[in-house]
Amino acid sequence: MPTTHGLRSVLAGLLSFHRAEVPWRDIFRTLQLLLFAPEFLDRPSVVPMLDLLAGDVQRPPHVIEGQAAALLGHDLHEQLAGLPVRRVLAGDQDLLMPPHTQRRLGAALGGLAPVFLPGGGHALWIERAEALSAAIADALSAG
C-alpha cells in the first residue's frame, strides 16, 4: 500500500529529532505513542520493558535515514492480489495503519474484511498476543 501522508510526516519529524541529536531513548518514547494503544502503555509493567528495548545506544543518522527511506519506498500494492492470505488482523487503535487503511489492504487482498482486535495498536504481537494467537488459530482452522 502506498505510504500515507501521516506516516511521511511522522518519519520526517523523527528524522529531524535524530538530526538534532535528541537521545534515541526520547525518540523511542515518542514512537511508543504511535505503535501502542493507550491501554497497553498504561500497564505498570510496560514502561520498564519498553525502556529496556530502547536502550541507550544512539543510532547513526544513516541507519535511521535508511530505515525511513525503506518505509517510505515500500509498496507491494500490485503484488497483494496474488498472496494466499486468509485474514487481515489489525488493532482497532493502530495509528500507523488505521482502520481505513486496513480496509483498503483487505480489498486489495481479494475483498477480505479486516478483523479488528479491540485495544490493539500497531504491535499486536506485544500488546494483544493472546487475542492475536486466537485469531490466527481461527483463521487457520477456517481452511
Side-chain angles (χ1 to χ4, degrees):
M1 311 258 16
T3 307
T4 63
H5 174 70
L7 182 54
R8 287 182 189 281
S9 297
V10 167
L11 290 173
L14 291 174
L15 283 173
S16 68
F17 285 163
H18 196 270
R19 287 185 188 123
E21 299 186 15
V22 172
W24 172 250
R25 183 177 296 278
D26 294 339
I27 294 172
F28 189 73
R29 284 191 178 123
T30 302
L31 277 173
Q32 291 172 16
L33 300 173
L34 298 171
L35 293 173
F36 303 111
E39 293 84 8
F40 179 74
L41 292 173
D42 286 343
R43 295 180 194 168
S45 63
V46 167
V47 172
M49 177 196 64
L50 293 176
D51 280 347
L52 182 64
L53 286 174
D56 287 322
V57 178
Q58 191 69 6
R59 276 49 176 186
H62 72 277
V63 171
I64 300 298
E65 290 171 8
Q67 289 174 328
L71 281 171
L72 292 172
H74 187 73
D75 183 0
L76 298 175
H77 190 76
E78 292 179 10
Q79 291 86 9
L80 291 178
L83 294 176
V85 177
R86 297 180 182 176
R87 198 154 295 158
V88 174
L89 303 172
D92 67 347
Q93 297 179 33
D94 188 339
L95 297 177
L96 293 178
M97 293 281 292
H100 69 274
T101 303
Q102 298 289 356
R103 288 186 192 94
R104 285 183 25 228
L105 175 63
L109 287 166
L112 298 174
V115 174
F116 293 102
L117 301 181
H122 193 70
L124 292 174
W125 65 96
I126 296 172
E127 300 170 285
R128 306 276 293 133
E130 291 175 11
L132 179 61
S133 294
I136 291 170
D138 182 57
L140 293 173
S141 68

